[in-house]
């Protein structure tokens, strides 16, 4: 068996319906998404377990969401 590098990646140019550009990155030790909102808005973020948390975005202020290792 050959060893393979860990799966990592990055997406660019992703836009949300609420007016933000999102740049997600991921690796075996976790994932991060930088959101760059173009307008001020409150959204609700849900996890895969169903937990929800409101987040206030302010136009022009980046917001970082991160998750630990899977």
């Amino acid at each position: 068996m050959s060893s393979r590098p860990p799966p990592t990646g990055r997406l660019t140019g992703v836009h949300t319906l609420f007016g933000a550009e999102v740049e997600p990155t991921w690796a075996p030790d976790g994932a991060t998404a930088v959101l760059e909102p173009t307008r001020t808005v409150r959204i609700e973020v849900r996890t895969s377990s169903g937990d929800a948390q409101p987040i206030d975005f302010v136009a022009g202020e980046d917001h970082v969401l991160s998750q630990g290792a899977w």
Side-chain angles (χ1 to χ4, degrees), residues 14-22 35-41 43 57-61:
V14 179
H15 295 269
T16 69
L17 293 175
F18 65 85
E21 185 171 335
V22 181
L35 291 96
E36 302 171 4
T38 57
R39 63 183 183 158
T40 299
V41 64
I43 67 163
F57 290 101
V58 177
E61 293 181 11

